Amino acid sequence: MKLFIDTANIAEIKEIAQLGILSGVTTNPSLIAKEKRDFKEVVKEITTIVDGPISAEPVSEKAEEIIKEAEELVKIHDNIVIKLTATEEGLKACHILSKKGIKTNVTLVFSVNQALMASLAGATYVSPFIGRVDDINQDGIKLIEDIADVFTIHDIKTKIIAASIRNPLHVTNAALAGADIATVPTKVIKAMFKHPLTEDGIRRFREDWESVYQK
Ligand code: G3P
């Protein structure tokens, strides 16, 4: 499973990109708004840091308007992927954009049917939101598992991006459930490194070394 970073914060993307673990970036209107900068400028800057799919989301609601926005966004860089919502207008836009060869990521996916319809409309990626499913007392990982099963049974090529990841266990379980990609906020990526035995091991190595060489 590949890892994308789920943020529009340039400093965070730069910091994590150095580790060599990132294959792409996802943004959404909430994440872009947090940066309080020009949308296209932020997206353009991201494309200079990570050489992989960068999801950018039009904010229009009607397919015709979404397509106009998308056509401007893809001019920024070849790696731009257009994020669309799993709605009738979103799928209408997905169908048209995919016929034009523009890559799409259908987001706010909360059911197998939404994922299936997105794939039929030509989506390159679907993004089921694990955390938000868990928030309403349902099982977000089971959603990933079910979508992955349906895509395997029917040989559907659309890639599954596990999104709305809230903790490191979501990442492990999304990988086990068959997600192709997990898009992970910086805070969770940092938590994925943490293990008490790693920290304890480092402390013991240092103490043993210092007891002989730095008396
Ligand atoms: O990738 C989707 C993500 O940005 C939403 O996460 O935590 O707001 O549900 P969250």
Side-chain angles (χ1 to χ4, degrees):
M1 184 180 73
K2 291 183 174 164
L3 288 182
F4 287 5
I5 190 166
D6 194 27
T7 181
N9 184 279
I10 298 296
E12 290 180 13
I13 297 170
K14 278 187 179 157
E15 182 188 350
I16 303 298
Q18 287 173 19
L19 306 176
I21 59 173
L22 290 183
S23 302
V25 181
T26 51
T27 69
N28 62 39
S30 308
L31 293 171
I32 295 278
K34 263 167 99 178
E35 302 308 308
K36 298 186 170 55
R37 291 181 52 199
D38 180 77
F39 174 28
K40 284 188 193 159
E41 248 178 54
V42 175
V43 172
K44 193 178 173 130
E45 206 170 336
I46 295 173
T47 63
T48 66
I49 308 166
V50 176
D51 185 17
I54 315 289
S55 288
E57 187 166 339
V59 287
S60 303
E61 283 172 19
K62 290 283 169 202
E64 295 69 27
E65 297 304 313
I66 294 172
I67 290 162
K68 276 190 208 150
E69 273 193 68
E71 283 172 337
E72 288 306 306
L73 287 169
V74 294
K75 285 182 192 158
I76 297 175
H77 196 281
D78 286 350
N79 284 342
I80 299 297
V81 174
I82 300 300
K83 227 178 181 191
L84 304 157
T85 56
T87 57
E88 287 183 40
E89 292 298 314
L91 291 199
K92 208 193 288 180
C94 179
H95 175 53
I96 294 167
L97 291 171
S98 62
K99 278 200 300 190
K100 289 176 189 257
I102 292 175
K103 293 204 167 69
T104 54
N105 173 3
V106 174
T107 189
L108 290 172
V109 166
F110 292 96
S111 73
V112 173
N113 286 342
Q114 287 176 323
L116 180 62
M117 289 189 292
S119 74
L120 294 172
T124 318
Y125 304 95
V126 285
S127 292
F129 273 34
I130 301 180
R132 293 193 197 182
V133 173
D134 289 357
D135 286 346
I136 59 160
N137 205 20
Q138 292 178 9
D139 189 345
I141 292 297
K142 177 76 169 53
L143 174 61
I144 301 284
E145 215 171 86
D146 289 349
I147 295 171
D149 283 350
V150 169
F151 282 12
T152 302
I153 292 166
H154 298 285
D155 197 24
I156 292 169
K157 302 295 179 212
T158 302
K159 302 273 183 219
I160 303 168
I161 303 180
S164 184
I165 296 265
R166 304 277 177 76
N167 56 60
L169 195 55
H170 272 160
V171 180
T172 305
N173 286 336
L176 288 168
D180 299 287
I181 297 144
T183 189
V184 188
T186 312
K187 190 178 74 173
V188 177
I189 293 179
K190 292 201 168 192
M192 287 164 67
F193 283 103
K194 292 232 179 310
H195 197 288
L197 293 180
T198 305
E199 279 151 33
D200 185 55
I202 291 168
R203 182 186 55 76
R204 281 161 59 180
F205 284 154
R206 193 181 50 242
E207 283 173 5
D208 290 345
W209 178 268
E210 287 174 0
S211 71
V212 174
Y213 298 108
Q214 284 176 25
K215 277 187 186 156

